Amino acid sequence: MDDFSFKIEEEIAVISTGKGGWNLELNKVSWGDRPAKYDLRPWSPDHQKMGKGLTFTEEELKALKEKLSALAI
C-alpha cells in the first residue's frame, strides 16, 4: 500500500466523541500536498489514525449547509 501524506490545516469542530477518545471532527485537511478541503471523519486523539470520512470543497459544503438549514430538525 502506498504511503500518503496529510496535514490538518485547521481544526474547525469536534462533532462527537466515541469509544477510546476518538472524535468525529470537521477539519480542513490537505491530502498529498493538494489544496485543503473540508473533511468530516473520526480521528484518534493524537490525529495519527483516522476512520473513513467525507471530503468537501467549499462549494459542496455550502450546498450541504443550505440543504441542512432547510430541514425541520
Side-chain angles (χ1 to χ4, degrees), residues 11-43:
E11 295 180 19
I12 299 170
V14 173
I15 308 302
S16 65
T17 300
K19 296 179 182 177
W22 281 56
N23 293 325
L24 178 61
E25 299 181 16
L26 177 64
N27 298 313
K28 266 189 111 168
V29 180
S30 172
W31 298 99
D33 295 323
R34 291 187 205 104
K37 291 185 177 184
Y38 292 92
D39 184 83
L40 180 65
R41 74 180 62 243
W43 289 90

Side-chain angles (χ1 to χ4, degrees), residues 8 12 15 19 21 33 35-37 39 46-47 49 56 65 67:
I8 299 175
I12 299 170
I15 308 302
K19 296 179 182 177
D33 295 323
K37 291 185 177 184
D39 184 83
D46 63 2
H47 285 136
K49 296 180 183 177
F56 302 94
K65 179 183 173 188
K67 298 297 182 184

Side-chain angles (χ1 to χ4, degrees), residues 2 6 9 14 16 21 26 29-30 33 39 44 46 48-49 57-59 63-66 68-70 73:
D2 293 329
F6 67 91
E9 294 190 357
V14 173
S16 65
L26 177 64
V29 180
S30 172
D33 295 323
D39 184 83
S44 66
D46 63 2
Q48 296 302 306
K49 296 180 183 177
T57 64
E58 187 170 339
E59 294 78 23
L64 179 60
K65 179 183 173 188
E66 287 177 18
L68 291 174
S69 294
I73 301 177

